[in-house]
Amino acid sequence: MTLDPRTKMVIVICLSTLALIYNTPERLLQLLIVTVLLLLLFRIDIRSVWVYLKRFLQLMLVVFIIQCFFTRGGEVLLSLGSVELISSQGFLTGASLVLRIIVVISAALILTTFSSRDFILGLVQWKVPYELAFMVTIAMRFLPLFRDEFVNVVTAVQLRGVELKQVSWGKKIELFRCLLFPVVFGALLKAQQLAVAMESRGFRAYPRRTYLRRLDFILVDYAVMLIFVTVTIILIVY
Amino acid sequence: MDAVTVKDLSYQYWSEGPWVLKNINFQVARGEMLVITGLSGCGKSTLCYCLSGIAGHRRDGVMQGQVLVNGKDVQELRAASLALEAGMVFQDPDTQLFSSSVEDEIAFGPENICLPPGDIRARVDNVLDLLGISSLMEANPYHLSGGEKHLVALAAVLALDPPVLILDEVMSRLDKQGVQRVADVLKRLRAAGKTIIAVEHRLETVTFADQLMVLAKGTLARLGPIETILADQEFLAAQHLTD
């Protein structure tokens, strides 16, 4: 479906808002089904959702376990003698949190169906200052690069004969503390180089700037936005 | 009036550090092409940073002397305003490219100087065509080869149409065909009145230039017509610039 990037942003905001407000696994599951249908509608490969979710598996597991063990209420599902370990309320809260994370991450994938350029244009046409919109996209763009840089530094250490798997946790923390310096220094250097590159191309030479392209809403965009915003408000209120 | 005038230029990267450039003096006339060469670490890139105003504005270093581009002191102009006077292509194009597509990268400069969308489109198409990279228009600059990245960085600077071009080893990552293409472009730009200052190691690729400057340990070892200096094999051998 070809929609204006701003319409897609509104859809993501609606889905994420509902995910944050809903508390029950049933409701969140329904929301997840709607999100998956939308992903299919936007021709997003569902397998790519798994690729993104995989990175958050450990976080989801920890959140689920913590909720299971520390939230009380309802029936006792697991106990050790007289000590209650897992309650039905804890299980449901854990499941809700995991589903919430899945919905938010899946919905965010809708943002990958348009370029960062359109993202900036969309925000600017919504009267967001260009500098702010540009900073957001640059941050989104450079974060994976910093991750790659950290991986490169770790690989460089391993190539010098340090077998990380055999290093104790204490030493490992010390090692990562040392590795943090070149990565942070690299990040600062990159930021400085980026500023130089931008200024050498006339960035902020004038208080305003023009754009090669322009985004224009069509009737479908208005209709989709109206439907999503209205339905979201109704679902929140009732 | 000369396009570029450098008077008693010295530079150190920090106040207690060594002088990377020492008392450099030269002029480049409008429409002239000057090639700068020398061994690694002799100060070629630093000189480029000084000429483009980056050294004076961004680095924590100490700049002495004066650099005038089109009669304007680079230390007195804002970095963004300087971009309209002198465009620089960096040695490492990865530090210069930040957009998600080649088209956006090239359009960034003209957008900053408030050109109407039609004019931006025309400039983007013209430079893509000039450098023979129209097929890369939709590509992500991060996914290009080193040579292609250099061409995109050059295109992005050309789109601003500055009267002075400073090119820091722009041909270093190009294959033979790419070198020939850039050399042809430089000839056309010079014929169109652009002033070009290019750092280059492979001097056989820029024999069409007007002047050659040889830097040695931050000092100006020699400056003169390129054919005269290239003919002086003894001097080139003494500077370790022969194969």
Side-chain angles (χ1 to χ4, degrees), chain A residues 25-156:
Chain A
E26 300 81 24
R27 282 266 175 126
L28 284 161
L29 204 59
Q30 287 165 1
L31 192 62
L32 181 61
I33 292 167
V34 172
T35 308
V36 170
L37 288 174
L38 280 169
L39 292 178
L40 290 171
L41 203 63
F42 286 119
R43 292 179 187 163
I44 296 170
D45 188 358
I46 294 297
R47 282 171 299 183
S48 69
V49 180
W50 171 242
V51 172
Y52 282 95
L53 285 177
K54 224 164 46 175
R55 296 173 190 169
F56 295 91
L57 266 184
Q58 285 179 330
L59 172 76
M60 288 192 273
L61 194 68
V62 170
V63 166
F64 182 72
I65 290 170
I66 288 174
Q67 291 301 325
C68 279
F69 281 97
F70 294 101
T71 306
R72 295 276 167 262
E75 291 174 39
V76 177
L77 297 180
L78 187 69
S79 62
L80 197 66
S82 61
V83 182
E84 181 188 320
L85 288 179
I86 299 175
S87 67
S88 59
Q89 187 58 45
F91 182 82
L92 291 175
T93 309
S96 297
L97 275 173
V98 169
L99 280 169
R100 188 170 291 150
I101 294 170
I102 294 173
V103 170
V104 171
I105 292 170
S106 307
L109 284 180
I110 294 172
L111 299 177
T112 63
T113 57
F114 54 88
S115 68
S116 57
R117 167 83 174 188
D118 287 344
F119 184 75
I120 293 181
L121 272 180
L123 292 179
V124 167
Q125 285 181 230
W126 265 345
K127 307 292 178 207
V128 173
Y130 174 75
E131 287 81 1
L132 191 65
F134 188 77
M135 271 196 299
V136 171
T137 48
I138 285 290
M140 283 179 354
R141 186 155 187 76
F142 276 77
L143 275 177
L145 293 181
F146 293 140
R147 187 198 59 208
D148 292 348
E149 202 157 300
F150 190 75
V151 170
N152 287 345
V153 173
V154 171
T155 309

Side-chain angles (χ1 to χ4, degrees), chain A residues 152-164 175 178-179 182:
Chain A
N152 287 345
V153 173
V154 171
T155 309
V157 169
Q158 287 175 317
L159 286 172
R160 289 179 195 178
V162 177
E163 192 55 68
L164 279 178
L175 185 69
C178 296
L179 296 184

Side-chain angles (χ1 to χ4, degrees), chain A residues 117 141 201 204 210 212, chain B residues 78 105 111-112 115 142:
Chain A
R117 167 83 174 188
R141 186 155 187 76
R201 302 252 293 283
R204 300 188 75 183
T210 49
L212 173 62
Chain B
R78 280 178 59 220
E105 194 68 56
E111 286 178 336
N112 285 330
L115 290 184
Y142 283 99

Side-chain angles (χ1 to χ4, degrees), chain B residues 58-132:
Chain B
R58 275 287 160 195
R59 312 263 166 165
D60 304 323
V62 181
M63 187 169 154
Q64 287 181 358
Q66 198 178 34
V67 176
L68 302 172
V69 175
N70 292 322
K72 294 166 188 161
D73 192 327
V74 297
Q75 285 186 285
E76 288 173 7
L77 280 178
R78 280 178 59 220
S81 307
L82 258 172
L84 304 175
E85 303 295 335
M88 179 175 168
V89 180
F90 301 153
Q91 191 175 13
D92 178 6
D94 282 321
T95 61
Q96 196 161 6
L97 306 175
F98 46 81
S99 299
S100 56
S101 78
V102 169
E103 184 188 44
D104 295 344
E105 194 68 56
I106 298 170
F108 183 80
E111 286 178 336
N112 285 330
I113 57 170
C114 297
L115 290 184
D119 291 1
I120 299 172
R121 175 85 272 153
R123 284 205 185 186
V124 170
D125 291 343
N126 282 346
V127 293
L128 283 171
D129 189 43
L130 182 71
L131 292 167

